[in-house]
């Protein structure tokens, strides 16, 4: 140890008495999380266990499990979730394999398009599929009848099967991304070894590739199950015309007049419990088998040659993508420019009236756009900052009880949007914090809903960053806050921007919590579209949905360009 | 000059394009006042106003509901402000204004049967509500929901009183497509999604027909449910002056004529001329409207309805 090293540490000592505001800030974050999650869920439980006069009772749960009006939706919801997760597994895994491990043409395009289908809000997809496959007026069914002379519809979207199909369309991308990423990371050497030892392509797939991908696939299927379980928009649009409820639409219907918040709270509990159980299962599954890719350096995975099957495979991928993407957008564009959504745009039916109406006459458009944009920017900024702070605190164990912070940041994953909406409504329609009627309650809802994913994203970026850099700064006398500002934030910038985009997109498409929490002054785009849906104003819906997707795409592309621009200038290696 | 008037928020359940047209006509008449339309089903608006008032949120200035019972309830709860526009005082018949000046009928419409003329020939079209129970209509009927729409709530009370709930029980077995708003069944039959509507706003059927869409109303032999949609000013209106201005204007012969000509509605204003080519109101057999009964029995009606239709 040289004399030179002691000089700075002397100056460190002289700086340490300076007050470090990090700790109170972090405790503030912890309190904020409690207000966002613990309070609403607390009220939810209190309401679920109360009668109309506020006396303790279990009657709500008795009703829930004995009244057919609740038991049926519960069964329906489970049927939907199981079917959707199976379909997603069956569609996403071959597609993910084709994209990641074969020489299928257009593999990159397919990846991009799957991501693009994630930008489409599921309820917009459901409305578009109504335009396509309503049994009589749906464009596909009209085409089918004209083609075959058949009397029966090809697809009846107003049915349990139709609903499952539409939910699967907008859920399979989650499974696809997980599976494709896992296959990307899978070491090619294992497969090479297998074939060198004489195993054929199929034996290798069966004994190496599939077992290695299985944990991710299971995790993906669970994600799909949870998505389907907690989705509100698509069932509200397709199940009610068909004459049945799911659990989420039932909860929502309990908010109609005369409102029954106690029953709504009780009905939210099964969703909550089921989600928690499934998340624990997922953690257990991944925890046990997720070691598959640990180890030294691996080569890039080997691409399997499809030979004559290359083009059929690409065609198959495009066919799958037609379901969430090509067909629905075709229907939305057609409706936007057509006098009647059930007729194809032609010289006779072409009109710009829907655009004139939406942007010139509809007095709710501009306030809704403004609210949505404000909330998306605020929630993305606040959410990304919060995720950074929490990830930092947890990774660096900055305050006692940091594990609780981590738990709280991931807990909302277990809270379905509509359940959180109900909880926030119960918690913030009363003094001391009457936030209902302001944008704040929506901001809290959106940040809470998006926090787990944001936190996980930032957290993984943190793990790639060695603490040495911060330690150096601290040793040189910087406060923790300054270290975070000067070292941590710049290094995490591209992860933070990605997270920001992720939250932004999530907020714009959020419906299930917003539909419980909005007032006429705080209406957002998704709620406006849902309102228009209920009165059948499909022309305006098409225009607004397309604008919504356009807005999202512009912001995401701009932010990514910004992030990439930065990443190119950023040091290639982070850490010591 | 009139900018001090600022803005006015109007909660209504009338079809959105018509509501915005009314708003634009008002803004053109009184430059400087902006009108914001808050449109949803009457039952939805009723719940929303209740929920907002419970949290002391006062967004609504003028309210219009297709469920006349709502005005009775709001009056009972002292949520309305008395104000009698000139036209109402001078021209409106007593049955279309509240004796205490709290509300008056802004619109009148019916909830008829209607069908798509491309899908159903005139002589095969249903003539009565009883006809809708014929097996040939299985899977071909669309209807709206009394839990969302005031028009349908009003119609359901009248039909269940005159035809009995058993009619609804049988109708529910016809594989009916259940939509929410009374504005939607006419749109669904115009699209050809379903051949017949069991209920819905007459004014939309008339408007779509006037635009050349293949729809035709049927005034059932049993009589057609009559739906009066009164308007009033909220006692806690955030913009009371602009509220009065809009309410007064909306009841003038000029505004009422717009409702009829552009919207296909009926009017209680005696100076308003009925739309050409539309069956005269006096020639239609209507069912008796009982808003006071709806005011007390709405929850019961909804519960009964859900029992048969499941949603």
């Amino acid at each position: 140890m040289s004399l030179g090293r002691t000089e700075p540490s002397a100056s460190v000592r002289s700086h340490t008495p300076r007050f470090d505001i990090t700790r109170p800030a972090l405790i503030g974050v912890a309190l904020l999380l409690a207000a966002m999650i613990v309070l609403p869920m607390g009220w939810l439980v209190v309401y679920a266990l109360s009668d109309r006069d506020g006396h303790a009772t279990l009657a709500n749960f008795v009703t829930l499990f004995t009244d057919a009006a609740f038991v049926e939706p519960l069964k329906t919801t489970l049927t939907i979730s199981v079917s959707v997760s199976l379909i997603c597994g069956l569609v996403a895994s071959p597609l993910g394999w084709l994209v990641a491990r074969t020489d299928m043409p257009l593999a990159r395009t397919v990846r991009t398009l799957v991501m693009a289908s994630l930008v489409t809000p599921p309820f917009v997809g459901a409305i578009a599929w109504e335009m396509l496959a309503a049994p009589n007026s749906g464009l596909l069914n009209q085409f089918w009848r004209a083609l075959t002379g058949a009397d029966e519809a090809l697809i009846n979207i107003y049915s349990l099967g139709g609903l499952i199909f539409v939910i699967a369309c907008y859920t399979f991308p989650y499974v696809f991304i997980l599976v494709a990423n896992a296959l990307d990371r899978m070491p090619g050497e294992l497969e090479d070894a297998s074939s060198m030892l004489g195993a054929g392509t199929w034996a290798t797939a069966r004994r190496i590739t599939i077992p290695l991908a299985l944990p991710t696939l299971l995790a993906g299927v669970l994600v799909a199950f949870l998505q389907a379980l907690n989705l509100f928009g698509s069932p509200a649009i397709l199940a009610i015309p068909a004459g049945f409820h799911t659990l989420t639409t039932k909860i929502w219907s309990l908010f109609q007049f005369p409102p029954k918040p106690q029953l709504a709270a009780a009905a939210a509990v099964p969703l909550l419990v089921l989600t928690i159980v499934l998340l624990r299962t997922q953690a257990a599954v991944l925890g046990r088998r997720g070691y598959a890719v640990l180890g030294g350096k691996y080569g890039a995975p080997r691409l399997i040659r499809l030979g004559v099957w290359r083009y059929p495979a690409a065609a198959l991928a495009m066919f799958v993508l037609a379901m969430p993407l090509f067909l629905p957008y075709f229907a939305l564009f057609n409706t936007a420019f057509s006098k009647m959504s059930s007729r194809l745009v032609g010289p006779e039916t072409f009109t710009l009236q829907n655009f004139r109406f939406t942007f010139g006459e509809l007095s709710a458009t501009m306030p809704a756009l403004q609210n949505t944009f404000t909330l998306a920017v605020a929630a993305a900024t606040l959410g990304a900052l919060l995720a950074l702070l929490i990830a930092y605190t947890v990774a660096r164990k900055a305050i006692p009880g940091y594990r609780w912070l981590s738990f709280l940041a991931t807990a909302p994953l277990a809270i379905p949007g509509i359940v959180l909406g109900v909880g926030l409504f119960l918690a913030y329609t009363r003094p001391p914090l009457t936030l209902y009627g302001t944008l704040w309650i929506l901001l809290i809802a959106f940040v809470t809903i998006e926090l787990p994913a944001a936190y996980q994203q930032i957290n993984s970026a943190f793990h790639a960053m060695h603490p040495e850099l911060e330690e150096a700064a601290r040793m040189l006398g910087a406060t923790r806050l300054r270290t975070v500002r000067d070292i941590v934030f710049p290094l995490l910038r591209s992860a933070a921007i990605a997270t920001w985009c992720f939250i932004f997109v999530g907020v714009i498409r959020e419906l299930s919590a917003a539909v419980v929490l909005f007032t006429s002054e705080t209406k957002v785009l998704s709620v406006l579209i849902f309102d228009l849906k209920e009165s059948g104003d499909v022309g305006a819906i098409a225009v607004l949905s397309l604008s919504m997707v356009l807005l999202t795409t512009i912001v995401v592309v701009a932010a990514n360009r910004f992030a990439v621009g930065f990443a190119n200038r950023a040091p290639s290696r982070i850490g010591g | 000059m009139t900018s001090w008037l600022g803005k006015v928020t109007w909660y209504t359940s009338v079809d959105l394009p018509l509501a915005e047209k009314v708003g634009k006509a008002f803004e053109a008449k009184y430059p400087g006042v902006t009108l914001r339309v808050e449109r949803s089903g009457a039952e939805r608006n009723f719940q929303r106003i209740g929920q907002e008032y419970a949290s002391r949120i006062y967004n609504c200035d003028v309210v219009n509901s297709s469920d006349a019972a709502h005005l009775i309830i709001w009056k009972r709860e002292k949520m309305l402000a008395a104000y009698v526009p000139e036209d109402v005082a001078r021209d409106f018949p007593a049955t279309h204004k509240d004796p205490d000046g709290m509300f008056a009928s802004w619109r009148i419409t019916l909830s008829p049967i209607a069908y798509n003329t491309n899908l159903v020939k005139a002589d095969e079209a249903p003539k009565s509500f009883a006809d809708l129970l014929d097996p040939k209509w299985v899977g071909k009927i669309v209807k709206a929901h009394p839990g969302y729409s005031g028009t349908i709530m009003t119609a359901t009370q009248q039909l269940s009183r005159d035809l009995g709930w058993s009619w609804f029980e049988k109708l529910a077995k016809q594989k009916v497509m259940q939509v929410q708003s009374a504005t939607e069944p006419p749109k669904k039959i115009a699209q050809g999604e379903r051949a017949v509507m069991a209920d819905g706003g007459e004014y939309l059927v008339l408007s779509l027909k006037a635009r050349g869409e293949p729809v035709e109303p049927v005034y059932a032999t049993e009589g057609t449910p009559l739906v009066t949609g009164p308007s009033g000013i909220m006692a806690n209106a955030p913009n009371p002056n602009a509220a009065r201005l809009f309410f007064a204007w909306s009841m003038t012969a000029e505004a009422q004529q717009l409702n009829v000509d552009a919207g296909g509605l009926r009017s209680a204003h005696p100076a308003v001329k009925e739309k050409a080519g539309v069956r005269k109101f006096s020639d239609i057999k209507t069912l008796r409207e009982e808003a006071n009964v709806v005011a007390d029995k709405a929850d019961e009606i909804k519960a009964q309805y859900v029992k048969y239709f499941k949603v």
Side-chain angles (χ1 to χ4, degrees), chain A residues 38-272:
Chain A
V38 180
L39 199 60
M41 291 305 109
W43 276 113
L44 192 79
V45 172
V46 169
Y47 264 75
L49 295 171
S50 315
D51 63 12
R52 297 199 76 127
D53 304 318
H55 303 302
T57 176
L58 284 173
N60 296 322
F61 289 97
V62 175
T63 311
L64 193 60
F65 291 110
T66 53
D67 188 343
F70 290 94
V71 177
E72 284 305 316
L74 195 62
K75 282 194 223 156
T76 310
T77 306
L78 290 175
T79 311
I80 292 172
S81 304
V82 170
S83 316
V84 165
S85 49
L86 289 179
I87 293 174
C88 288
L90 287 176
V91 174
S93 27
L95 201 63
W97 178 76
L98 281 175
V99 164
R101 305 308 292 266
T102 72
D103 61 347
M104 181 183 77
L106 298 174
R108 280 182 74 98
T109 316
V110 170
R111 261 182 215 249
T112 315
L113 289 175
V114 174
M115 295 302 278
S117 72
L118 267 185
V119 174
T120 314
F123 61 91
V124 169
I127 296 172
W129 267 100
E130 259 192 307
M131 297 163 186
L132 288 165
N136 301 301
S137 58
L139 297 171
L140 283 179
N141 284 323
Q142 288 189 52
F143 179 69
W144 170 254
R145 285 199 177 91
L147 200 69
T148 63
D151 217 25
E152 285 299 301
L154 177 66
I155 316 169
N156 176 6
I157 210 70
Y158 302 119
S159 62
L160 187 60
L163 177 59
I164 289 170
F165 168 76
V166 170
I167 297 180
C169 277
Y170 296 95
T171 307
F172 97 88
Y174 295 99
V175 188
F176 169 87
I177 290 168
L178 279 171
V179 170
N181 287 348
L183 289 171
D184 282 341
R185 289 193 310 262
M186 195 180 287
E189 277 83 351
L190 293 177
E191 287 170 327
D192 288 342
S194 162
S195 37
M196 263 182 269
L197 290 169
T201 310
W202 278 113
T204 305
R206 196 162 45 86
R207 305 182 63 167
I208 308 288
T209 320
I210 294 176
L212 280 176
L214 206 58
T216 319
L217 181 61
L218 274 179
V221 166
L222 273 172
V223 168
F225 189 97
L226 288 175
Q227 288 276 334
L229 186 69
N230 296 329
L231 203 59
F232 165 73
S234 312
I237 286 157
L238 298 174
I240 291 172
F244 64 91
H245 269 297
T246 64
L247 215 47
T248 49
T249 61
K250 188 73 196 173
I251 291 174
W252 170 73
S253 78
L254 292 169
F255 264 73
Q256 307 314 316
F257 198 82
K260 301 183 188 72
Q262 293 84 5
L263 263 179
V269 172
L271 279 184
L272 199 60

Side-chain angles (χ1 to χ4, degrees), chain A residues 364-385:
Chain A
T365 305
M366 283 309 154
L369 272 173
Q370 215 174 349
N371 286 339
T372 308
F373 198 73
T374 312
L375 279 168
V377 170
T381 311
L382 192 67
L385 275 175

